[in-house]
Amino acid sequence: AQILTYPSAFTIKTGKAHWETLLRARAIETQSYVLASAQVGEHFPGRASYGRAMIIDPWGTILAQCKEFEMTSGEEGVTETDESLQGELAIAEIDLELLTRVRKEMPLVNQRRRDIYSLQESDV
């Protein structure tokens, strides 16, 4: 694959801890672009998603990203700090020549241990 997509709804706690790390790792280990859309904001009382959609190149560089969702506690319960997050977009140029260069300079597919790991065709 040249481009992988990850639609997600991470909680704020897990998003802050793992979102960027997991996405950058997926881009590097698959040598693919990663386009990660993400739900953002409060869906109903007590349930909010982290957001921070991003686009990452095959080398693990973040090319574009949206803001993360922050919650604050006020007199009337939990409220979001930035209501402008609801319509944000991340846009970046996808350079397939860069993808080809990365795969040529670091040929991970050629280094796979086919004697240990192999893809099996299913009988489905």
Side-chain angles (χ1 to χ4, degrees), residues 102-119:
V102 167
R103 289 180 177 181
K104 183 177 180 181
E105 293 171 7
M106 191 170 57
L108 297 180
V109 173
N110 297 341
Q111 298 171 10
R112 183 174 42 189
R113 294 280 313 266
R114 296 180 193 280
D115 58 322
I116 298 174
Y117 303 102
S118 63
L119 297 176

Side-chain angles (χ1 to χ4, degrees), residues 6 23 25 37 48 54-55 57 75 80 86 88 112 115 122:
Y6 290 93
L23 294 172
S37 60
M54 60 179 65
I55 302 168
D57 75 11
E75 290 180 22
E80 58 186 281
Q86 300 302 322
E88 203 171 37
R112 183 174 42 189
D115 58 322
S122 69

Side-chain angles (χ1 to χ4, degrees), residues 2-3 5 7 24 27 29 31 35 38 47 52 56-57 59 69-70 79-80 84 91 99-101 104 109 123:
Q2 295 175 317
I3 299 172
T5 59
R24 292 181 75 195
E29 72 187 3
Q31 295 181 319
L35 309 180
R47 173 69 175 143
R52 199 170 167 213
I56 304 168
D57 75 11
W59 196 249
F69 185 74
E70 294 282 341
T79 58
E80 58 186 281
S84 69
I91 298 171
L99 185 138
T100 301
R101 280 195 312 274
K104 183 177 180 181
V109 173
D123 295 330

Side-chain angles (χ1 to χ4, degrees), residues 40-42 67-70 72 78-88:
V40 63
E42 190 169 16
K67 296 176 191 169
E68 67 186 62
F69 185 74
E70 294 282 341
T72 58
V78 179
T79 58
E80 58 186 281
T81 59
D82 188 351
E83 293 180 17
S84 69
L85 295 173
Q86 300 302 322
E88 203 171 37

